Every structure is written in C-alpha cells, then in structure tokens.
C-alpha cells in the first residue's frame, strides 16, 4: 500500500494569556479567516488552557480531514501548528522510531512534534527545511515558537501585560485587541529602503521573529533567543583548502541534493524560469530528477527592455521542459496592483512584487509547488552593486575615472526605464559610494533614498526616530568590518536584504495565490558552503557569481553568459505618467488628504510629482510607489 505523506504550506496564528484572561473565540475565527489565502483548504482553531492555536491549511499531499492541524501527541500533552516543510524528516523519523516513538501518520508535522518532545530546542539544529511552528505543552504551560534559519517563513508577534499574540501575517494579529501605535523609526527606514528591516514592524508593539530565532513563553514570561548563526570566518574562507575545481564540484553536488529534496510532492510541481543563471541552474538540476518538468516565465508585450523570455525559452528548449510563457498586458499590471494593495498589511514597496504576484497567479493555475532561484545573488555576489564593491576595493583606472566624473553623472538624465538612463544612475550611485567606509557604502547601496530625503519627506517624524534608525543601521553594518573581505557584504545582504525584502516579496505574493515556493539555494548546507569559500571564487574583474556560472557552464546554453543582468522590474515610470496619473494626483497623493494627515511635507510631495514628468526622473517612480503603498496602508488601518 502506498504510504500517505502529509506536507503542509499554511498560515498559523495563536494567543496566550498571561493573566488567565479570556481568549475570545471571535478573535480566533477572524484571525483564521484572514489567513485563508495561505490556507484555503481548511481553517480551524483550538483553545488549550491558557493558549489558543490557529491553523489555515494548504494541502500539498493528502486532502483528508485527519491531516488538519493542530496535531496532538499520543498523550494529548503537546499540540503543534506548523507552516512549512522539513525536507529531511524521513531520516529524523527513523532515528525517533529507534528511540521508541510510534507514529500514527507519515507527516513531517508529527516528526517535528516528536523531535521537539525528545530533544527540546536542540531539535532545531537537525532540521533541513523552512518553517515557523508553535508547540504548546499544557503540562508545563509553555509555548515554544520558532523560525527557520534564513527567515523564509515569516512570523509576527505582539505582547503586552495581558496577552501574547502571533501570526504568519500582520493582518491576522490585527484581529486581536492590540494597540496600533505607529513606529516612526520603522516608517523612516521604510522610506529609505522601501521595506522595513529587522525585528521592528510598522507598529510599536508588533515585532518580527528574526531568522534563526525562537520565542519561548514560560512562567508567564516571553523570552526571544537566537538558535542559529551562519558559521563564518573571513580568514577561514580565504584559506579554504579546497581547490577551485573541488569547490565547483561541491557546489554541483550540494545543489543537486537540495533540488532533489525539494521535488517531493504528489501535486503538480514546476519551476520559475526567468532566463537568468540562478533559475536556469534550478531548472537544470530539477530536470535531472523530473521528466517533463513544468517551467514558467513572464514577459512584457511591446517592451523588450524588460523582457527576458527569449533567454527563458532557450533554457526550456535545452532541457525539454513543458514551458509556459505569460505575456503581460497593461491590464494585467493594473489588476496586479489592486490585488497587491488589497493584500498588503505592513507597507512593502519592492515593485517587483507586482510581477511575482502575476507569475504566482498564473503558475498556480498549473501547479501547486514551484522552485525558485532566490538567494543565489546574495550568497554568490550576483548584483551590480557587488561588482561596484569589487571595483572600489581593487581600484584601477575604471573606478578612478568614474569617481572623478562624479559631477557629470549627477547632471546626466537618469532612469531605470532605459539602457543609458539606467547606466548613468548606476554610475552616480557608484561614485557616491566609493569614498565611504565599507559599512556606510554597503548601507547606501542598499537604500533607495538617503536619510536627507526622509528628513524632507517626514519633517515632524524623522529626527525623533533617528536613535532607533541608527541602532538598526549599526546592527546590520556591524557585519561589514572595515578591513574585512567582500564576504562581509554578502553576509549583510543575507542578514537584511534577503529576509526582509526578497523573501518577504516571494512569501507574500506566492501565499496570496496559495502557491508554495521552495528555494534550493537557501538549503542551509549551501549557505554554509557559500560562506566557507573565498571572495575570489565568487567575483573577479570579469565575472559576478563566478563559481555558479563556472560550475554549471557545461550544462547551460552558452547564450546565458556574457549578457547584462537585469532586475525583475516593472516599467512603473511610463505607467505612472499615463494610466495611474489621475489616481496618484487625486487619490493617493491628494493634497487635501496629505495636509489632513499631517505626516508628509507638502512641498516634497509636489516636487516628486513634478519630477515624474521631468527629463531626469531618476528613482522617482520608486519613491512614488513607496508613498502609494504607505497611503493604502494608512487608509486601510489608521483612518
């Protein structure tokens, strides 16, 4: 008989009362309902003594009601709710069986529960997967909540003197009785980065459980601890004993196994295929183990600058995949904007989320699980800013010339929407950063805007928030040592950009469409390997992401090499100047409403509107998009 394996991608929420106060059923029902996109197949909750656990289920395998959560152990002492997957659960299961555990199911959820029962928090070190989960021990009256190493699955929590609330999404926590006081330092950081980094959220009393952390409630006290740190020593990495050839072989071996583990599913499965190196590597590895692999990409009708589907088609043909291309029209983007704004709770303004939403929606019509190449750029130096950092550190006539011509770059027209305008924009950013310290330069190149812009935009808020802004900035820039290697910069990206921008984008938009996305590059073994090898294996004067390109060169089409890297970007500038002009001027940034809010400087808002139609728009579309998302949040949750 075929064994039924239970795998879940879901949403979780819950509550704990410190003072034996009532946990209202209506709170739990509303919290469960708000997670229906993450878990459309079933939403339910249970109250156990001083705790309540909420689960919304997306069935990957086994749609029977017996697989619904919470799941209890045989004694009824422990209960678990789980969002994610443990890819090595079978080996952990065998170990537990040898120790006398009798399993009722073949689920990774039950394995996770018994692993915690047997080993406590030490069980986390054995897990290869992505997850957030909560386990309540009613005998000891303890609630244990953990997040995976890389922060792939999010979790927010709120605490006051009476209650502790938690959920996969902030919108779920907002259905509990909480104080909605705005955290203006988070708002200021948002308008610098277009996302909110670190443990703080848009609200003062709601926090994000950081990657590799857990929170344990015991004796009516909640304590947050870190359980995982990427093992990294700059000196050890630079002295790695493996030859470059051995490093390449090791990467192929690790990637092959990471992809193999993530192909477990009894529902239709596929892969995102952009035509870039990372997604092409994932496709190459998956094609080894899956005949007739489904692959998916999107492109723009009539806008070749943003369209990479010809490269995706090459890869699909090379590996004989069942390839589907979604050609976007303007109406698709407009619909995606409405969907994104409707789903967004905490402000998040990475505009490529619009495309991830569309890709996820179309992909979900064909499959339930998709592999993606997220993480490859951050781990192996794939961004243009990484090449800029390499040039800055190594000098040479190119870097010197760019720096000397700084006044020229400032006066040339800049825009992300064309080849030369984008090049001038990059050159200006490079020239601005090359004279800063490594940490300050890394931060500047992470930001869309500097703090001066935020002071102008938020004249009554930014200065008061400055101490917390500095604290957050120092928390991340401390990873970049003044005399360290470029691996420090990549550690900064993996610690901030990846979990609070890239992974948020993929998680929110895939879950909005009830699609599970798996990220082989973020298998912890690959992450630890990446930080064990020298910078010279990752980037040099000729190549970004060197080891990834070289290790898989014999497998991939030659046309993928020596081509400029493009971001996954939306042509917002043209869009804002036409279809959305009226709504920007008369709704989102309506001057009467802005003055009534009393948040933004009206002169700065007017300047942004004027810049939108100038010959030198720069990053105004990104600035306006951040304002649109924030205004949508404010109208929904604060008016």
């Amino acid at each position: 008989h075929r064994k039924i394996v239970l795998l879940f991608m879901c949403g979780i929420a819950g509550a704990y009362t410190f003072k034996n106060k009532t946990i209202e059923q209506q709170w739990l029902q509303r919290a469960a309902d708000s997670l229906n996109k993450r878990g459309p197949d079933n939403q339910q909750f249970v109250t156990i003594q001083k705790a309540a656990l909420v689960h919304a289920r997306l069935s990957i395998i086994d749609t029977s009601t017996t697989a619904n959560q919470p799941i209890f152990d045989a004694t009824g002492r422990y209960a678990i709710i789980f969002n994610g997957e443990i890819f090595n659960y079978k080996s952990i299961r065998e170990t537990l069986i040898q120790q006398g555990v009798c399993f009722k199911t073949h689920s990774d959820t039950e394995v996770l529960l018994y692993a915690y029962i047997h080993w406590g928090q030490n069980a986390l070190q054995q897990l290869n997967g992505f997850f957030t989960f909560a386990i309540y021990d009613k005998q000891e009256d303890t609630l244990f909540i953990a997040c995976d190493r890389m922060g792939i699955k999010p979790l927010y929590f709120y605490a006051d003197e009476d209650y502790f609330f938690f959920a996969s999404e902030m919108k779920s926590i907002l259905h509990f009785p909480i104080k909605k006081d705005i955290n203006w330092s988070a708002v200021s950081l948002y308008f610098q980065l277009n996302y909110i980094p670190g443990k703080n959220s848009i609200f003062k009393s709601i926090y994000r459980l950081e990657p590799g952390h857990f929170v344990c409630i015991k004796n009516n006290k909640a304590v947050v601890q870190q359980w995982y740190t990427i093992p990294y020593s700059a000196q050890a990495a630079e002295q790695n004993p493996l030859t470059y050839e051995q490093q390449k072989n090791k990467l192929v071996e690790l990637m092959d196994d990471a992809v193999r583990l993530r192909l477990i599913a009894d529902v239709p499965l596929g892969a995102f295929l952009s035509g870039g190196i990372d997604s092409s590597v994932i496709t190459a590895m998956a094609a080894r183990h899956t005949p007739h692999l489904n692959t998916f990409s999107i492109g723009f009708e009539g806008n070749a600058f943003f369209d990479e589907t010809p490269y995706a088609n090459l890869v699909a043909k090379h590996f004989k995949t069942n390839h589907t291309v979604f050609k976007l029209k303007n109406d698709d983007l407009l619909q995606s904007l409405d969907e994104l704004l409707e789903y967004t709770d905490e402000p998040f303004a990475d505009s490529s989320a619009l495309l991830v939403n569309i890709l996820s929606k179309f992909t979900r019509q064909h499959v339930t699980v998709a592999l993606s190449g997220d993480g490859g750029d951050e781990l192996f130096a794939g961004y243009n800013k990484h090449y800029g950092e390499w040039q800055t550190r190594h000098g040479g006539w190119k870097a010197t010339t760019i720096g000397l011509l700084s006044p020229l770059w400032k006066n040339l027209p800049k825009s992300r929407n064309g080849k030369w305008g984008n090049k001038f924009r990059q050159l200006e950013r490079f020239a601005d950063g090359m004279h800063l310290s490594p940490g300050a330069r890394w931060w500047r190149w992470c930001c869309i805007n500097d703090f001066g812009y935020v002071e102008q935009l938020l004249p009554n808020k930014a200065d008061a928030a400055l101490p917390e802004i500095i604290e957050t900035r120092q928390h991340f820039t401390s990873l970049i040592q003044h005399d360290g290697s470029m691996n420090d910069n990549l550690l900064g990206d993996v610690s901030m950009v990846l979990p609070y921008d890239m992974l948020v984008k993929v998680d929110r938009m895939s879950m909005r469409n009830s699609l599970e996305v798996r990220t082989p590059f973020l298998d912890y073994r690959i992450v630890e390997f990446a930080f064990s090898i020298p910078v010279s294996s990752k980037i040099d004067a000729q190549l970004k992401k060197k080891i990834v390109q070289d290790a898989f060169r014999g497998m991939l089409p030659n046309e993928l090499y020596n081509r400029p890297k493009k971001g996954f970007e939306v042509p917002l500038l043209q869009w804002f100047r036409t279809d959305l002009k009226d709504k920007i001027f008369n709704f989102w940034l309506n001057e009467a409403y802005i003055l009534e809010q009393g948040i933004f400087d009206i002169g700065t808002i007017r300047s942004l509107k004027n810049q939108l139609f100038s010959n030198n728009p720069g990053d105004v579309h990104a600035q306006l998009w951040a304002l649109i998302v924030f205004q949508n949040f404010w109208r929904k949750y604060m008016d």
Side-chain angles (χ1 to χ4, degrees):
H1 298 283
R2 187 173 74 89
K3 294 178 179 178
I4 299 297
V5 181
L6 312 181
L7 298 176
F8 303 95
M9 281 300 297
C10 313
I12 64 174
Y16 181 91
T17 171
F18 294 117
K19 296 181 179 179
N20 290 314
K21 293 203 169 188
T22 301
I23 300 174
E24 299 285 350
Q25 299 290 293
Q26 60 181 333
W27 303 346
L28 304 175
Q29 185 63 64
R30 289 198 297 261
D33 292 343
S34 71
L35 296 171
N36 69 323
K37 292 289 188 181
R38 286 181 176 270
D41 298 317
N42 181 265
Q43 300 94 39
Q44 67 181 49
F45 55 86
V46 62
T47 301
I48 313 166
Q49 296 179 171
K50 293 170 65 178
L53 302 178
V54 179
H55 190 262
R57 177 187 175 198
L58 170 62
S59 304
I60 302 300
I61 299 177
D62 184 12
T63 59
S64 68
T65 58
T66 57
N68 291 338
Q69 296 184 36
I71 290 178
F72 291 81
D73 76 310
T75 69
R77 172 178 169 179
Y78 298 92
I80 185 173
I81 48 175
F82 170 46
N83 171 27
E85 292 185 11
I86 309 302
F87 296 115
N88 63 331
Y89 76 96
K90 290 183 179 179
S91 62
I92 298 173
R93 187 176 189 273
E94 289 305 313
T95 300
L96 290 167
I97 288 173
Q98 292 172 12
Q99 296 188 17
V101 177
C102 294
F103 289 96
K104 293 182 179 179
T105 74
H106 291 278
S107 74
D108 58 346
T109 306
E110 192 182 17
V111 169
L112 177 56
L113 177 60
Y114 278 101
Y116 176 79
I117 291 170
H118 275 67
W119 301 311
Q121 68 187 55
N122 293 329
L124 294 168
Q125 301 292 345
Q126 299 190 45
L127 306 179
N128 185 345
F130 57 112
F131 53 82
T132 54
F133 66 85
I135 295 176
Y136 182 63
D137 176 352
K138 69 179 185 181
Q139 180 174 307
E140 295 293 327
D141 184 31
T142 61
L143 181 64
F144 183 84
I145 306 169
C147 176
D148 64 68
R149 293 172 177 85
M150 306 309 298
I152 298 171
K153 289 287 112 182
L155 191 128
Y156 293 90
F157 65 90
Y158 167 94
D160 60 23
E161 63 274 13
D162 295 322
Y163 292 104
F164 179 95
F165 302 122
F166 66 93
S168 297
E169 294 183 3
M170 186 179 291
K171 63 171 64 71
S172 186
I173 287 183
L174 295 177
H175 288 294
F176 293 103
I178 68 164
K179 301 170 185 174
K180 293 196 295 184
D181 297 327
I182 292 293
N183 182 339
W184 291 106
S185 66
V187 173
S188 298
L189 285 165
Y190 165 76
F191 282 112
Q192 280 187 265
L193 294 158
N194 278 12
Y195 60 91
I196 298 172
K199 64 183 180 181
N200 294 323
S201 80
I202 193 76
F203 294 112
K204 285 183 179 179
S205 297
I206 299 180
Y207 300 91
R208 178 162 177 164
L209 189 58
E210 296 176 278
H213 282 67
F214 67 77
V215 57
C216 184
I217 300 177
K218 188 173 184 178
N219 299 323
N220 285 331
K221 185 178 181 181
V223 177
V224 178
Q225 287 184 236
Q226 186 170 14
W227 67 269
Y228 178 76
T229 304
I230 296 171
Y232 166 60
S233 162
Q235 183 178 5
E238 293 304 315
Q239 297 175 356
N240 189 303
L242 296 180
T243 66
Y244 184 56
E245 195 65 29
Q246 290 171 326
Q247 291 172 33
K248 289 192 297 180
N249 293 337
K250 182 69 172 177
L251 178 58
V252 173
E253 174 189 325
L254 287 171
M255 185 59 68
D256 185 69
D257 194 55
V259 170
R260 179 189 62 80
L261 284 174
R262 285 157 179 79
L263 290 172
I264 300 170
D266 277 357
V267 292
L269 180 145
F272 295 154
L273 179 56
S274 69
I277 292 293
D278 295 335
S279 65
S280 299
V281 165
I282 299 300
T283 297
M285 295 293 95
R288 286 181 165 188
H289 303 283
T290 304
H292 311 299
L293 177 72
N294 300 299
T295 53
F296 306 93
S297 63
I298 57 176
F300 294 93
E301 283 193 355
N303 196 328
F305 181 74
F306 291 96
D307 194 346
E308 294 193 292
T309 53
Y311 295 102
N313 291 336
L314 276 172
V315 177
K317 184 177 180 181
H318 188 78
F319 293 106
K320 298 180 174 61
T321 70
N322 297 325
H323 190 53
T324 303
V325 177
F326 310 113
K327 283 288 187 179
L328 304 187
K329 299 178 182 178
N330 208 42
D331 288 347
D332 296 315
L333 289 168
L334 289 169
Q335 183 179 348
S336 182
L337 180 140
D338 291 336
E339 292 169 349
L340 184 150
L341 292 178
E342 178 274 329
Y343 192 72
T344 297
D345 39 38
E346 183 175 53
F348 177 80
D350 183 335
S351 61
S352 61
L354 291 163
L355 299 183
V356 177
N357 175 47
I358 295 171
L359 179 59
S360 297
K361 179 169 62 175
F362 287 156
T363 299
R364 184 62 176 86
Q365 296 171 7
H366 300 267
V367 300
T368 310
V369 178
L371 306 185
S372 86
D374 291 291
D377 286 315
E378 290 82 4
L379 291 171
F380 296 103
Y383 292 128
N384 289 327
K385 69 176 183 179
H386 296 143
Y387 188 57
E389 180 67 26
W390 189 93
Q391 285 185 310
T392 300
R393 289 172 180 250
H394 290 80
W397 68 268
K398 284 185 180 180
T400 302
T401 302
I402 292 170
L404 291 173
L405 293 176
S406 179
L408 174 63
W409 314 131
K410 291 185 182 300
N411 290 316
L412 288 171
K414 290 169 284 293
S415 168
R416 290 177 182 265
N417 286 255
K419 178 180 178 181
W420 288 108
N422 195 41
K423 178 63 69 177
F424 297 150
R425 182 189 66 84
Q426 292 170 341
L427 289 169
E428 182 184 28
R429 282 175 66 84
F430 177 79
D432 285 346
M434 65 184 299
H435 301 299
L436 300 174
S437 68
R441 182 168 57 247
W442 173 80
W443 180 264
R444 180 66 191 93
W445 287 350
C446 285
C447 291
I448 298 291
N449 305 296
D450 61 20
F451 186 68
Y453 165 79
V454 177
E455 285 185 302
Q456 291 177 358
L457 183 67
L458 305 168
N460 302 317
K461 308 292 184 183
D463 287 344
L466 190 56
E468 284 189 43
I469 296 171
I470 292 172
E471 181 183 348
T472 299
R473 173 175 167 164
Q474 288 178 341
H475 172 71
F476 290 110
T477 57
S478 65
L479 300 170
I480 292 87
Q481 301 300 313
H482 190 82
D483 56 351
S485 77
M486 251 191 74
N487 268 325
D488 291 354
N489 294 62
L490 303 182
L491 185 63
D493 285 351
V494 168
S495 300
M496 187 180 83
V497 181
L498 185 65
Y500 302 113
D501 182 1
M502 303 304 174
L503 294 179
V504 169
K505 172 176 59 184
V506 174
D507 176 78
R508 285 191 188 177
M509 294 299 95
S510 63
M511 287 290 92
R512 187 207 164 272
N513 294 283
S514 304
L515 176 74
E516 175 190 323
V517 174
R518 302 174 180 175
T519 51
F521 271 107
L522 297 181
D523 186 304
Y524 78 93
R525 298 168 299 171
I526 293 174
V527 173
E528 293 181 0
F529 167 77
F531 284 101
S532 76
I533 60 175
V535 173
S536 60
S537 296
K538 300 179 181 182
I539 189 168
D540 60 22
Q542 283 74 44
L543 277 180
K544 301 189 298 287
K545 211 153 46 183
K546 178 183 174 183
I547 191 171
V548 179
Q549 298 208 46
D550 287 347
F552 297 92
R553 191 177 294 271
M555 306 179 196
L556 301 178
N558 290 331
E559 292 87 345
L560 296 188
Y561 291 85
N562 299 316
R563 53 175 288 244
K565 179 180 178 62
K566 292 182 182 179
F568 198 41
E569 293 189 33
V570 183
L572 284 178
L573 184 63
Q574 177 185 353
W575 201 18
F576 285 176
R577 286 172 168 175
T578 54
D579 299 82
L580 292 176
K581 176 187 173 183
D582 182 68
K583 198 166 185 179
I584 290 172
F585 279 65
N586 298 317
F587 180 67
W588 288 313
L589 300 184
N590 174 276
E591 292 200 0
Y593 185 74
I594 294 287
L595 290 169
E596 181 185 334
Q597 273 183 297
I599 297 173
F600 303 111
D601 175 68
I602 194 68
T604 303
I605 298 295
R606 288 169 180 163
S607 294
L608 291 172
K609 291 177 181 178
N610 291 333
Q611 189 180 349
L612 176 63
F613 293 95
S614 74
N615 293 324
N616 190 9
D619 278 327
V620 70
H621 64 286
Q623 294 165 323
L624 287 172
W625 178 239
L627 283 162
I628 289 168
V629 174
F630 182 87
Q631 292 296 76
N632 178 77
F633 155 82
W634 193 267
R635 288 177 182 271
K636 186 188 297 186
Y637 294 109
M638 303 306 295
D639 268 353

